[in-house]
């Protein structure tokens, strides 16, 4: 009798974990997840919802106001591209048509180019760069239902690189990304990229989708990563076409020889800042890092704007000719 009780309990635990894995994949990787829209975003990324009004939120409000005006007034065109069965959209700021310097600025998870990248795009444009800000598939104005956590979206980034090159073969392209956008460009860096891609700047990117989901389950949902992620991985493979461990910034960076700057805030609750050390160790090219004390997720330029952009522009100046 005891043996049967144990078997039944184990069976129920397996069923519960399989259900949790299936639920988690649907919630995390499909755009129109009711759970994520109504509840999950507050649990998984509390930095954006639990902050009281501080000097930093006031700075952010001022930055966003200026960036909004820049986004609406300075864009030279909206660019559309049919790719991988989806319509991808981007905002182009070709403020300096005589220059070959381009920033490809990639936004984060369940966000948009305007929301995440309007302010840094403004800084780059004012410094003399042309800027292309895409909406990744299933985000912003682009179509799609599946969110690939960077693994599918790295193909979008490579397509946008080709789009820039189709108009400017001499372009010197810098990949800049935040959050999932940082993971996207890190994952792209392990693939064969055109010689015109010179470097990457990754702000608060995770080391792998498996690690990020493990952190989400444990810290936000208070659930064990294993065995839930075992089943989540099976569902991800069947529904998305890749495994959680395959979608790895670390594994891709091990094949990267481009200069890379890694940035992270020490109070990031969405992507723990320890990920920066794994990514730094993995990359094979010139590397530098910048940690911003007390900064939550994708907020380092708010907490120390001067140091942030001084570091970014100095890194570009020092390494632009080395990313060949």
């Amino acid at each position: 009798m005891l043996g049967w009780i144990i078997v039944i309990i184990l069976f129920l635990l397996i069923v519960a974990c399989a259900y949790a894995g299936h639920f988690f994949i649907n919630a995390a990787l499909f755009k129109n997840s009711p759970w994520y829209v109504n509840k999950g975003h507050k649990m998984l990324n509390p930095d954006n919802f639990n902050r009281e009004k501080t000097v930093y939120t006031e700075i952010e409000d001022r930055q966003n106001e200026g960036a909004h005006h820049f986004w609406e007034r300075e864009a030279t065109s909206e660019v559309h591209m049919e790719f991988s069965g989806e319509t991808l959209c981007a905002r182009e700021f070709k403020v300096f048509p005589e220059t070959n310097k381009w920033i490809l600025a990639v936004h984060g998870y369940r966000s948009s180019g305007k929301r995440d990248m309007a302010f840094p795009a403004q800084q780059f444009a004012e410094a003399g760069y042309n800027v292309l800000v895409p909406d990744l598939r299933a985000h912003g104005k682009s179509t799609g239902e599946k969110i690939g956590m960077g693994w599918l979206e790295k193909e979008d980034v490579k397509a946008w690189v080709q789009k820039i090159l189709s108009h400017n073969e001499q372009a010197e392209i810098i990949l800049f990304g935040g959050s999932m956008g940082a993971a996207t460009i890190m994952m792209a860096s392990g693939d064969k990229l055109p010689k015109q891609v010179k470097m990457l700047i990754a702000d608060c990117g995770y080391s792998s989708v498996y690690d990020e989901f493990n952190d989400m389950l444990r810290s936000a949902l208070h659930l064990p990563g294993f065995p839930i992620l075992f089943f989540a991985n099976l569902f991800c493979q069947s529904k998305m076409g890749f495994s959680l461990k395959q979608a790895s910034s670390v594994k891709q960076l091990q094949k990267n020889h481009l200069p890379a700057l890694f940035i992270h805030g020490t109070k990031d609750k969405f992507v723990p800042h320890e990920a920066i050390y794994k990514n730094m160790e993995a990359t094979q090219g010139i590397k530098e890092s910048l940690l911003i004390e007390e900064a939550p997720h994708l907020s380092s330029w708010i907490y120390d704007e001067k140091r942030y952009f001084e570091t970014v522009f100095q890194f570009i100046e020092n390494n632009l000719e080395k990313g060949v």
Side-chain angles (χ1 to χ4, degrees):
M1 177 63 72
L2 180 60
W4 279 109
I5 292 175
I6 293 173
V7 169
I8 292 172
I9 291 173
L10 288 174
F11 175 76
L12 293 175
L13 284 173
I14 291 171
V15 170
C17 289
Y19 173 81
H22 185 263
F23 179 88
F24 186 75
I25 289 298
N26 284 339
L29 300 185
F30 285 84
K31 178 180 179 179
N32 294 316
S33 161
W35 178 84
Y36 188 90
V37 171
N38 296 324
K39 187 175 182 180
H41 61 321
K42 295 181 181 180
M43 297 175 66
L44 298 179
N45 191 7
D47 288 335
N48 287 346
F49 298 94
N50 296 340
R51 285 184 295 171
E52 297 178 357
K53 195 74 173 177
T54 68
V55 63
Y56 297 112
T57 55
E58 292 173 2
I59 292 171
E60 183 178 17
D61 289 343
R62 290 198 300 271
Q63 288 180 347
N64 287 340
E65 182 179 358
H68 176 76
H69 291 307
F70 165 80
W71 185 268
E72 298 300 332
R73 296 177 183 176
E74 299 299 328
T76 53
S77 64
E78 281 203 0
V79 186
H80 301 86
M81 174 173 60
E82 298 299 320
F83 180 72
S84 193
E86 305 295 348
T87 300
L88 304 182
C89 304
R91 198 86 156 174
E92 183 180 69
F93 301 87
K94 197 172 182 179
V95 185
F96 300 96
E98 71 280 1
T99 185
N100 292 322
K101 296 188 295 184
W102 280 86
I103 303 291
L104 181 53
V106 188
H107 66 80
Y109 179 69
R110 291 184 180 271
S111 189
S112 66
K114 181 179 181 180
R115 180 179 177 184
D116 286 354
M117 291 294 142
F119 180 70
Q122 180 184 16
Q123 305 309 302
F124 285 122
E126 290 177 354
Y129 296 81
N130 293 318
V131 187
L132 185 70
V133 185
D135 284 339
L136 298 171
R137 64 181 70 188
H139 291 79
K141 294 182 178 181
S142 295
T143 64
E145 292 299 320
K146 296 180 178 180
I147 301 172
M149 298 300 293
W151 190 252
L152 300 180
E153 293 80 3
K154 70 183 176 71
E155 303 304 321
D156 299 356
V157 165
K158 291 190 289 185
W160 284 118
V161 166
Q162 293 297 333
K163 189 74 170 178
I164 293 173
L165 295 179
S166 69
H167 298 289
N168 184 358
E169 292 184 357
Q170 304 304 314
E172 297 176 304
I173 302 171
I174 296 153
L175 303 182
F176 176 86
S179 187
M180 191 185 86
T184 300
I185 66 170
M186 288 189 285
M187 292 178 191
S189 75
D191 292 352
K192 184 174 177 57
L193 297 174
K195 64 181 181 180
Q196 291 92 336
V197 177
K198 300 298 183 180
M199 70 185 72
L200 53 147
I201 301 170
D203 186 341
C204 62
Y206 38 83
S207 55
S208 73
V209 178
Y210 186 94
D211 288 346
E212 176 63 9
F213 281 3
N214 188 52
D215 289 328
M216 284 184 183
L217 283 169
R218 294 169 61 189
S219 63
L221 304 179
H222 307 292
L223 294 171
F226 182 84
I228 293 175
L229 286 182
F230 170 81
F231 293 102
N233 191 53
L234 296 178
F235 292 120
C236 185
Q237 287 176 305
S238 64
K239 292 188 172 194
M240 307 295 292
F242 64 89
S243 75
L244 300 179
K245 290 186 177 181
Q246 178 187 14
S248 169
S249 301
V250 165
K251 290 181 180 179
Q252 290 292 96
L253 285 168
Q254 288 171 347
K255 298 180 284 183
N256 171 61
H257 293 273
L258 295 173
L261 172 63
F262 302 94
I263 305 170
H264 223 117
T266 61
K267 288 297 180 68
D268 194 328
K269 296 177 182 176
F270 191 54
V271 180
H273 79 274
E274 287 79 9
I276 195 173
Y277 304 117
K278 294 181 181 179
N279 294 330
M280 277 278 291
E281 183 178 358
T283 193
Q284 300 298 299
I286 295 169
K287 66 188 82 173
E288 291 184 22
S289 65
L290 174 64
L291 282 172
I292 302 297
E293 296 295 329
E294 303 299 316
H297 188 63
L298 199 52
S299 300
S300 290
W301 60 62
I302 299 167
Y303 278 62
D304 198 341
E305 178 184 339
K306 184 174 184 291
R307 184 177 169 219
Y308 186 101
F309 286 105
E310 282 182 353
T311 301
V312 166
F313 289 124
Q314 190 63 56
F315 183 81
I316 294 173
E317 181 180 338
N318 291 345
N319 295 286
L320 192 57
E321 297 304 319
K322 298 176 184 178
V324 179

